[in-house]
Amino acid sequence: MVFLNAAAAQGGGMMSTLLMFVVIIAIMYFMMIRPQRKQQKKIESFRNGLQVGQEVVTSGGIYGKIKSMENGIVMLEVAHNVVVRVDISVIYPSSADAQQEVK
C-alpha cells in the first residue's frame, strides 16, 4: 500500500515538472522570441522600402545617403564625393528617421 502511494506521488511530480517546463518555454517565447521576430520583420520591411536619396546608418555606425542600389548592394555617400559600397543587410534607419517613427 505504501509503495502504491509513493509511485502515485512520483508520477504526479513528473507531470508537474513537465508542466513547469512547458510554462517556462511559453514565457520565453512571448518575452524573447516573438518580439525579436517582430523587430526583424520591421527591419526587413524597411530594407525593402529603401529609396535613392534616403539617409541611413550601417550596422558599423557609418551614416550616409543612398546614391544607388542594385542586387542587394547599396552605394552609400558618406561625405561629399565619397561613396562606399555596402550590402543591404547592414543598412538600418538613421536616428532621425527612427525618431520620426516614434512621434
Side-chain angles (χ1 to χ4, degrees), residues 63-64 76-83:
Y63 288 79
L76 193 64
E77 184 178 33
V78 295
H80 184 65
N81 290 333
V82 179
V83 179

Side-chain angles (χ1 to χ4, degrees), residues 1-8:
M1 194 63 116
V2 173
F3 293 118
L4 292 176
N5 288 339

Side-chain angles (χ1 to χ4, degrees), residues 4-93:
L4 292 176
N5 288 339
Q10 191 177 27
M14 286 292 284
M15 191 61 126
S16 66
T17 303
L18 181 62
L19 181 63
M20 184 174 60
F21 280 128
V22 169
V23 168
I24 289 172
I25 289 171
I27 289 171
M28 286 181 62
Y29 174 78
F30 284 107
M31 297 296 282
M32 298 171 67
I33 297 169
R34 189 168 177 241
Q36 184 179 9
R37 285 186 181 171
K38 189 175 180 180
Q39 184 68 21
Q40 287 174 342
K41 286 181 183 180
K42 185 177 178 182
I43 291 171
E44 187 66 31
S45 68
F46 166 76
R47 288 181 183 151
N48 290 335
L50 285 175
Q51 299 175 354
V52 174
Q54 189 172 357
E55 291 190 12
V56 295
V57 65
T58 67
S59 60
I62 300 172
Y63 288 79
K65 186 182 287 189
I66 297 175
K67 291 307 250 182
S68 66
M69 296 183 302
E70 185 177 321
N71 298 329
I73 303 295
V74 176
M75 301 304 283
L76 193 64
E77 184 178 33
V78 295
H80 184 65
N81 290 333
V82 179
V83 179
V84 283
R85 182 177 157 192
V86 296
D87 190 74
I88 198 166
S89 66
V90 301
I91 300 290
Y92 292 93

